[in-house]
Amino acid sequence: MAKKSITRRWIFNNLGVIVLALLVIEMVVIYAIQSYFYNSAKQYLISKLNAVTSVLSIHSQDSSANFSAEMRNMLETFNEKDKIELMAVSANGRVVLTSSGFSPDADAVMPDYEDAMETGEGSYTGRLSGGEKILAVSAPISSFNSEYSAVRMVTSLTEIDNTIRGYILLVTAVCTVIILIIVITGLYFAGSIVKPIRQISGITSKFAMGDFSVRIDNGSDDEIGELCTSINHMADELSSAEAMKNEFISSVSHELRTPLTAIKGWAETLMVDGGENPDTMKKGVGVIVTETERLSQMVEELLDFSRMQNGHFTLRKDNMDILAELGDAVLIYSDKARREQIGIIYDEPEMLPIVYGDKNRIRQVFINIIDNAVKYSSPGDTVTIKASEKDGRITVSVTDTGCGIKDSDLAKVKTKFYKANHTRRGSGIGLAVADEIITMHGGTLDITSEGEGKGTTVTISLPAKTNNN
């Protein structure tokens, strides 16, 4: 099937309607011009004919005058005989006298005479037997004299038709110029739309192939320009997402390789040693267990992220004690923080309201946040954990004195695949998963930092259960 371009559609639709409208307008204008000239000529002949009948009426009232002689004299001295022929029609309906001296054909039709005899006036536009177009008007005079029944004036319409034809050519030329202007401006306008669309089509095809290096040239500030700007922005975001995805794959590969290498190394050591050295056995098994837990945590994060992307991430909500889940998360990292010489201060309140949520997912968020606080801290730093309730909302804050976050990275740290600090381990999706979990609970997860080397604060806000829940 042939491709239907915007230009072709515009030509067949809009331009077709415009041309049809102009043709209708031209026909109306031509009809109006023709009617104007023909009516003007007719009124002129009628006025001349009325003048003639008035003179004949005066002669008919003069008993001393010879009416036939006066009729002949009027026709012979008619001053416009070069343009108009004046005729006298006898009582039997035949033209007996003419101002030109030539008698018309005996079989010539005179509808205007017939109408005049019936209604008192008549006019006729038609052609002679020779093809010449004429206009004729008649007026009855049988009341003046019994010898003559009417007088008739006939004029040629050749000059009038030539004048009308000139106006027709002028109107046609004007319509043609209008159509040409519309075509030129329309094609230019259509081109201004089609050209960037074709450019967009070609560049988006490259985007589909994974090439985000090209951008659309944008030289307009209209809707097309806005579209080009939006597509270029989309390309920037896709390029950034692609870079983060590639970095994520590289980071995850590295994160998986490290514990696997440790597990494999210690497994080989234990296999060779055969368990003869209890200290080596204990140390090796401890490393294997630790790294296996680390692998399990990363796999769970990846599975959760996959469920989020596919829309299969669900919660099993019930009444829960948020202090119990927070306390478990703090306990999990207390020994690890002590080994890494990082202090943990837990300001635990006596009681907090019940929260309606998924306790496993909430604990997962706490573990992720505390793990990040410990991970991005150095020996001698402190992680402070606080929990409180105000105005029906429970707030949990985790503050560390670690490496902090740059202002340029702060807005992106919850974005999937994004890692603000590449020197620390992690997949870059933990915060994205945590933020999604808190959002699904009707809460918020905010991250603030005063800058690099000044620590970070993560604040989680969740709605407390009310009697209406």
Side-chain angles (χ1 to χ4, degrees):
M1 184 180 293
K3 182 171 66 175
K4 293 183 179 180
S5 66
I6 292 176
T7 304
R8 182 179 299 179
R9 286 166 53 193
W10 177 83
I11 290 175
F12 283 103
N13 295 339
N14 297 42
L15 185 59
V17 172
I18 293 172
V19 170
L20 181 61
L22 286 176
L23 286 176
V24 172
I25 293 172
E26 182 179 9
M27 292 174 63
V28 171
V29 171
I30 290 172
Y31 176 78
I33 291 173
Q34 187 180 49
S35 298
Y36 170 76
F37 277 97
Y38 280 14
N39 288 331
S40 297
K42 178 181 175 181
Q43 293 301 322
Y44 182 76
L45 289 184
I46 290 174
S47 65
K48 285 291 183 181
L49 193 61
N50 288 336
V52 170
T53 56
S54 297
V55 173
L56 290 176
S57 174
I58 294 173
H59 288 313
S60 67
Q61 295 173 7
D62 187 357
S63 58
S64 62
N66 186 331
F67 189 83
S68 296
E70 293 295 338
M71 175 69 77
R72 288 188 180 89
N73 181 59
M74 180 175 290
L75 267 64
E76 289 174 358
T77 60
F78 186 57
N79 59 357
E80 293 191 51
K81 61 177 63 179
D82 57 333
K83 296 185 295 182
I84 303 171
E85 186 169 19
L86 179 60
M87 301 178 180
V89 185
S90 65
N92 58 5
R94 296 181 63 85
V95 177
V96 292
L97 294 174
T98 64
S99 59
S100 64
F102 297 99
S103 298
D105 296 337
D107 57 349
V109 295
M110 297 188 297
D112 53 299
Y113 168 75
E114 297 173 359
D115 290 341
M117 298 310 296
E118 292 179 3
T119 63
E121 62 178 18
S123 63
Y124 166 68
T125 302
R127 293 186 181 275
L128 299 176
S129 58
E132 184 181 9
K133 195 173 184 180
I134 61 164
L135 171 63
V137 294
S138 298
I141 59 170
S142 56
S143 60
F144 304 158
N145 186 274
S146 59
E147 183 180 353
Y148 301 99
S149 60
V151 287
R152 187 172 185 245
M153 283 187 176
V154 180
T155 186
S156 174
L157 293 177
T158 302
E159 291 187 8
I160 293 178
D161 284 346
N162 289 336
T163 303
I164 293 173
R165 196 173 292 111
Y167 279 104
I168 291 174
L169 291 176
L170 178 61
V171 172
T172 302
V174 171
C175 291
T176 302
V177 170
I178 292 174
I179 291 173
L180 287 176
I181 292 174
I182 292 174
V183 169
I184 293 172
T185 56
L187 290 176
Y188 176 79
F189 175 72
S192 67
I193 296 176
V194 171
K195 184 178 178 181
I197 288 177
R198 286 175 177 169
Q199 184 186 14
I200 290 171
S201 178
I203 290 180
T204 51
S205 297
K206 293 183 179 180
F207 291 168
M209 300 299 294
D211 181 8
F212 301 108
S213 61
V214 292
R215 293 294 181 271
I216 301 172
D217 296 330
N218 183 13
S220 61
D221 56 357
D222 53 12
E223 289 81 358
I224 297 292
E226 291 179 1
L227 176 61
C228 294
T229 301
S230 298
I231 292 177
N232 286 336
H233 178 67
M234 178 191 71
D236 293 337
E237 294 298 319
L238 288 174
S239 179
S240 177
E242 183 73 11
M244 285 192 294
K245 184 186 73 173
N246 293 335
E247 185 178 330
F248 164 74
I249 293 173
S250 175
S251 176
V252 167
S253 300
H254 177 74
E255 291 291 329
L256 292 174
R257 186 192 309 153
T258 301
L260 287 174
T261 301
I263 292 171
K264 180 182 178 183
W266 277 102
E268 291 176 347
T269 299
L270 294 177
M271 186 172 60
V272 172
D273 187 52
E276 295 179 1
N277 189 331
D279 292 336
T280 302
M281 173 68 73
K282 182 178 180 180
K283 185 177 180 181
V285 171
V287 170
I288 291 173
V289 170
T290 301
E291 296 301 328
T292 301
E293 289 178 351
R294 182 178 168 189
L295 280 175
S296 177
Q297 182 180 354
M298 281 192 290
V299 170
E300 284 299 321
E301 283 186 352
L302 292 172
L303 288 174
D304 287 340
F305 179 74
S306 176
R307 295 187 191 104
M308 284 170 50
Q309 296 295 99
N310 296 329
H312 297 153
F313 193 84
T314 58
L315 300 176
R316 296 179 180 177
K317 291 186 176 182
D318 200 355
N319 294 337
M320 57 169 286
D321 182 1
I322 196 169
L323 281 179
E325 308 307 324
L326 180 60
D328 287 346
V330 173
L331 184 62
I332 290 173
Y333 284 91
S334 295
D335 290 339
K336 179 180 179 181
R338 191 180 304 109
R339 290 195 303 270
E340 296 181 9
Q341 299 178 8
I342 297 172
I344 289 186
I345 300 174
Y346 178 30
D347 187 4
E348 182 179 10
E350 294 183 0
M351 183 181 296
L352 286 177
I354 296 296
V355 172
Y356 184 71
D358 188 328
K359 65 178 183 179
N360 293 324
R361 293 299 185 185
I362 294 296
R363 183 170 63 247
Q364 177 184 344
V365 172
F366 292 154
I367 289 173
N368 180 277
I369 300 304
I370 297 173
D371 177 60
N372 282 343
V374 173
K375 184 194 318 178
Y376 289 99
S377 296
S378 300
D381 288 332
T382 303
V383 175
T384 303
I385 303 165
K386 295 181 180 180
S388 60
E389 185 270 336
K390 183 179 181 182
D391 298 331
R393 297 193 70 85
I394 296 173
T395 301
V396 177
S397 65
V398 178
T399 303
D400 63 72
T401 58
C403 61
I405 303 173
K406 293 189 294 186
D407 291 339
S408 58
D409 294 328
L410 196 58
K412 304 176 183 178
V413 290
K414 292 191 291 184
T415 304
K416 60 184 179 182
F417 308 139
Y418 189 82
K419 288 183 66 176
N421 191 327
H422 300 284
T423 63
R424 307 296 173 114
R425 62 179 178 83
S427 62
I429 60 174
L431 278 178
V433 174
D435 184 59
E436 180 69 17
I437 292 172
I438 296 300
T439 301
M440 292 176 71
H441 280 82
T444 59
L445 189 152
D446 299 314
I447 302 174
T448 58
S449 178
E450 296 182 5
E452 288 186 280
K454 296 183 180 180
T456 303
T457 297
V458 178
T459 304
I460 299 169
S461 176
L462 290 168
K465 181 180 179 181
T466 63
N467 295 331
N468 297 326
N469 289 346

